[in-house]
Amino acid sequence: MSARTSPAEAFEKIPTVLFGHAPEAAAALAREVRDLILARRAAGRPTVLGLATGSTPVPFYRELIRLHKEEGLSFHDVITFNLDEYYGLERTHRESYFRFMQEQLFAHIDLQPDNIHLPDGTVPLDEVFAHCAAYEAAIEAAGGVDLQILGIGRTGHIGFNEPGSSRDSLTRLLPLDPLTRLDAAADFLGGENVPRFAITMGVGTILRARKLVMMAWGGNKAGIIAKAIEGPETEAVSASFLQSHPDARAFLDKGASSALTRIRLPWLVGRAEWTPAETRRAVLWLALKEKKPVLKLRDNEYNEHGMAELLTRYGNAYHLNIEVFNRQQQTITGWPGGKPNADDTSRPERAAPFPKTVLVLAPEPQDDVLGMGSTIERLVTQGHDVHICYMTGGDLRVTDAEAIRFARVLLETAEQDSDLWKEQISYARGILSEIETKGPFGDPPARLRHLKALIRRGEARDAAISLGVKPSQIRFLDLPFYTEGRYRQFRLSPQDATATGSVLATLRPHQIYITGASADPSSVQGMAFAAFRSAWDARAGHNWQEHCRIWLYRSHQSEYEPHEIQMAIPMSPDQLSQKLSAVQKFQSHTLPDLLDGERNRHTARTYDALGTAEYEAIEAFRRWKS
Ligand code: F6R
């Protein structure tokens, strides 16, 4: 847009505000909403808010509730319109957006029930059209939306306006994109349970709001956010239509902003500082862009891509190439715990002490094996003392069918001697009847969740043992945020950090491996990392911490670009097969796209393309500094 001048903004076609973390962004937005409500109230006018569901607005709603409870902000004259609702779900369904809004916001503030509006997912098909038209009319009658809150789906949708939605579309029934349904699969305990249709405000309806704020958190939104903000306005990414709205903004945390040009390619917007890290990023980016190994890059290619200043510092491409090539090559090591008695000045890990005490923290069972199965095997084989700690039980991923199978086996076994096994019989029957009573979508009672966690534990133990870890060195923490919560609605408590901290204090490890640092903060991985971070900070200054190195491994939500990798553990074809057979121990649930090792192969291909060694597959790690 012409009024904006800074080079970053030349790329960003939606004004974008960057925040360190989601809660800061949520607090800033909540303050804006408070000011809006107070200003309109002073003018004798109600405030009309457009609201979204999903995990993104949850910290914002928590902040509104806090403003209401602690600062007395009233919502008595606020009118709300939600973006969307799944079609076919009763309002009482645990995943209906109606229920979500009640639980996350409405039940905790003083909104008038008559002022709350959501599309109704239960209207018969032949009445949907009229219902949608009435929804549009109700927004109009309320005077239009003053401020619309938006999240963004990985398909680029706002509301449920999936790719193909036109700029002028209005409230309507539409089919959900397969990726959207996949993202909702965990909430619905399986992809097959996710509704196929939803009623959503249209893009045109949304754009009529006077002000809009689109929020996004975590690295898994980074790619689509960059397309929406910097790409062309297109029906393929409905959020891109915000570009032509006169008062739309994006509020992002670090993870969600990481693919924006100003962050990813800062030299293109004149912001490069040419630190060693930035230099490496730029050179590797250029090599991949030009499809050339690093050592073959030429002076003119640097000049043509805004890197003349960098070139000047090094004199010529030859010296620059060599330096970055060596640094990339030095990330590769077959010794994740350090190579004993070897010069370690340019190795990712220290040689001493040897052996090391290693703690692998897995937010959910399977994160460890997917992210670093081969590295775990290598650490054990090389003589380190490897402990794995599962921070949550992972039971929310286990289907009822699995629990039924286990309960039936127990029942049939116990019925062989029904006098001796009375309690077992009553337990198994109890589980089966709990499953029946709650139905496919009811909240699972604690006992059922516990059984599912045990199933997942068994799988985690099998997988870890197959990688050589001793059974006595496998721990299960069952952090309360998970045992007492559900997807998208987890809440950390001090006990989560305390429990994590006590494992750290007991083991005093030399190396910690964890994941989730830039994940969506509401995800299990994001929550678990936050618990770890506060446990780590609480012990700040302890002597053992100064000698402890923290490595981040990849979660299924996160990708590392080659310049971010500080340790690359290469795998032979046999080592990859061993890892994949450990992954397959998780029979109750596996993300299908992670079964074939493609991500590890892809990293190896990238290293190959850069001109470093060619391997079958690579596991990648970054160092974390608090
Ligand atoms: C929800 C909505 C959707 C979500 C989007 C992101 O009312 O309209 O557009 O905002 O799917 O979902 P989360 O926040 O769960 O990542």
Side-chain angles (χ1 to χ4, degrees), residues 33-62:
V33 168
R34 176 196 59 197
D35 295 348
L36 177 72
I37 293 173
L38 296 180
R40 290 188 63 88
R41 187 170 296 153
R45 297 209 298 264
T47 304
V48 183
L49 295 179
L51 300 178
T53 55
S55 52
T56 307
V58 169
F60 164 66
Y61 293 150
R62 287 184 186 159

Coordinates of all heavy atoms in Angstrom, one line a residue, residues 33-62:
V33 N -9.6 -3.7 22.6 CA -11.1 -4.0 22.6 C -11.7 -3.3 23.8 O -12.8 -2.7 23.7 CB -11.3 -5.6 22.8 CG1 -12.7 -5.9 23.2 CG2 -10.9 -6.3 21.5
R34 N -11.0 -3.3 25.0 CA -11.5 -2.5 26.1 C -11.7 -1.0 25.7 O -12.7 -0.4 26.0 CB -10.5 -2.6 27.3 CG -10.9 -1.8 28.5 CD -9.7 -1.6 29.4 NE -8.6 -0.9 28.7 CZ -7.4 -0.9 29.2 NH1 -7.0 -1.5 30.3 NH2 -6.4 -0.3 28.5
D35 N -10.7 -0.4 25.1 CA -10.8 1.0 24.7 C -11.9 1.2 23.7 O -12.6 2.2 23.9 CB -9.4 1.5 24.1 CG -8.3 1.4 25.1 OD1 -8.6 1.2 26.3 OD2 -7.1 1.5 24.7
L36 N -12.1 0.3 22.8 CA -13.2 0.4 21.9 C -14.5 0.4 22.6 O -15.4 1.2 22.3 CB -13.1 -0.7 20.9 CG -14.2 -0.8 19.8 CD1 -14.0 0.3 18.8 CD2 -14.1 -2.2 19.1
I37 N -14.7 -0.6 23.5 CA -16.0 -0.7 24.2 C -16.2 0.6 25.0 O -17.4 1.1 25.0 CB -16.0 -1.9 25.1 CG1 -15.9 -3.2 24.3 CG2 -17.2 -2.0 26.1 CD1 -15.7 -4.5 25.2
L38 N -15.2 1.1 25.7 CA -15.4 2.2 26.5 C -15.7 3.5 25.7 O -16.6 4.3 26.0 CB -14.2 2.5 27.4 CG -13.9 1.3 28.4 CD1 -12.7 1.6 29.3 CD2 -15.1 1.1 29.4
A39 N -15.0 3.6 24.6 CA -15.3 4.8 23.7 C -16.7 4.8 23.1 O -17.4 5.8 23.1 CB -14.2 4.8 22.6
R40 N -17.1 3.6 22.7 CA -18.4 3.5 22.1 C -19.5 3.7 23.2 O -20.5 4.3 23.0 CB -18.6 2.2 21.3 CG -17.8 2.2 20.1 CD -18.1 1.0 19.2 NE -19.5 1.0 18.7 CZ -19.9 1.5 17.6 NH1 -19.0 2.2 16.8 NH2 -21.1 1.5 17.2
R41 N -19.2 3.1 24.4 CA -20.2 3.3 25.5 C -20.3 4.8 25.8 O -21.4 5.3 26.0 CB -19.7 2.5 26.7 CG -20.7 2.4 27.8 CD -20.3 1.4 28.9 NE -20.2 0.1 28.4 CZ -19.4 -0.9 28.8 NH1 -18.6 -0.6 29.9 NH2 -19.5 -2.1 28.3
A42 N -19.2 5.5 25.8 CA -19.3 6.9 26.2 C -20.1 7.7 25.1 O -20.7 8.7 25.4 CB -17.8 7.5 26.2
A43 N -20.1 7.1 23.9 CA -20.9 7.8 22.8 C -22.3 7.2 22.8 O -23.1 7.5 21.9 CB -20.2 7.6 21.5
G44 N -22.6 6.4 23.8 CA -24.0 5.8 23.8 C -24.2 4.7 22.8 O -25.4 4.5 22.4
R45 N -23.2 4.1 22.3 CA -23.4 3.1 21.3 C -22.9 1.7 21.7 O -21.9 1.6 22.4 CB -22.7 3.5 20.0 CG -23.2 4.8 19.4 CD -23.1 4.9 17.9 NE -21.7 4.9 17.5 CZ -20.9 5.9 17.3 NH1 -21.5 7.1 17.4 NH2 -19.7 5.9 16.9
P46 N -23.6 0.7 21.3 CA -23.0 -0.7 21.6 C -21.8 -1.0 20.8 O -21.6 -0.3 19.8 CB -24.2 -1.6 21.3 CG -25.0 -0.9 20.2 CD -24.8 0.6 20.5
T47 N -21.1 -2.0 21.2 CA -19.9 -2.5 20.4 C -20.3 -3.8 19.8 O -20.8 -4.7 20.5 CB -18.7 -2.6 21.3 OG1 -18.5 -1.4 22.0 CG2 -17.4 -3.0 20.5
V48 N -20.0 -3.9 18.5 CA -20.2 -5.2 17.8 C -18.9 -5.9 17.5 O -18.0 -5.3 16.8 CB -21.0 -5.0 16.5 CG1 -21.3 -6.4 15.9 CG2 -22.3 -4.2 16.8
L49 N -18.7 -7.1 18.1 CA -17.4 -7.8 17.9 C -17.7 -9.0 17.1 O -18.7 -9.7 17.3 CB -16.8 -8.3 19.3 CG -16.4 -7.2 20.3 CD1 -15.9 -7.8 21.5 CD2 -15.3 -6.3 19.6
G50 N -16.8 -9.3 16.1 CA -16.8 -10.5 15.4 C -15.8 -11.4 16.0 O -14.6 -11.1 16.2
L51 N -16.2 -12.7 16.3 CA -15.3 -13.5 17.1 C -15.0 -14.8 16.3 O -15.8 -15.3 15.5 CB -16.0 -13.9 18.4 CG -16.3 -12.7 19.3 CD1 -17.0 -13.2 20.6 CD2 -15.1 -11.9 19.7
A52 N -13.9 -15.4 16.7 CA -13.4 -16.6 16.1 C -13.2 -17.7 17.1 O -13.2 -17.4 18.3 CB -12.0 -16.4 15.4
T53 N -13.2 -18.9 16.7 CA -12.9 -20.0 17.6 C -11.5 -20.6 17.3 O -10.7 -20.0 16.6 CB -14.0 -21.1 17.5 OG1 -14.1 -21.5 16.2 CG2 -15.3 -20.6 18.0
G54 N -11.3 -21.9 17.7 CA -9.9 -22.5 17.5 C -9.0 -22.1 18.6 O -9.3 -21.4 19.6
S55 N -7.8 -22.6 18.5 CA -6.8 -22.4 19.6 C -6.3 -21.0 19.6 O -5.9 -20.4 20.6 CB -5.7 -23.4 19.5 OG -5.1 -23.3 18.2
T56 N -6.2 -20.3 18.4 CA -5.6 -19.0 18.4 C -6.1 -18.0 19.3 O -5.4 -17.3 20.0 CB -5.6 -18.5 16.9 OG1 -5.1 -19.5 16.1 CG2 -4.8 -17.2 16.8
P57 N -7.5 -17.8 19.3 CA -8.0 -16.7 20.2 C -8.0 -17.0 21.7 O -8.4 -16.1 22.5 CB -9.4 -16.4 19.6 CG -9.8 -17.6 19.0 CD -8.6 -18.4 18.5
V58 N -7.7 -18.2 22.1 CA -7.8 -18.6 23.5 C -7.1 -17.7 24.4 O -7.7 -17.2 25.4 CB -7.5 -20.1 23.7 CG1 -7.4 -20.4 25.2 CG2 -8.5 -21.0 23.0
P59 N -5.8 -17.3 24.2 CA -5.1 -16.4 25.1 C -5.8 -15.0 25.2 O -5.9 -14.4 26.2 CB -3.7 -16.3 24.6 CG -3.6 -17.1 23.4 CD -4.9 -17.8 23.2
F60 N -6.4 -14.6 24.0 CA -7.1 -13.3 24.0 C -8.4 -13.4 24.8 O -8.7 -12.5 25.6 CB -7.4 -13.0 22.5 CG -8.4 -12.0 22.3 CD1 -8.2 -10.6 22.6 CD2 -9.6 -12.3 21.6 CE1 -9.2 -9.7 22.4 CE2 -10.6 -11.3 21.4 CZ -10.4 -10.0 21.8
Y61 N -9.1 -14.5 24.7 CA -10.3 -14.6 25.5 C -10.0 -14.7 27.0 O -10.7 -14.1 27.9 CB -11.1 -15.9 25.1 CG -11.7 -15.7 23.7 CD1 -11.9 -16.9 22.9 CD2 -12.0 -14.5 23.2 CE1 -12.4 -16.7 21.6 CE2 -12.5 -14.3 21.9 CZ -12.7 -15.5 21.1 OH -13.2 -15.3 19.9
R62 N -8.9 -15.3 27.3 CA -8.5 -15.4 28.8 C -8.2 -14.0 29.3 O -8.5 -13.6 30.4 CB -7.2 -16.3 28.9 CG -7.6 -17.8 28.8 CD -6.5 -18.7 29.1 NE -6.9 -20.1 28.7 CZ -6.1 -21.1 28.5 NH1 -4.8 -20.9 28.5 NH2 -6.7 -22.3 28.2

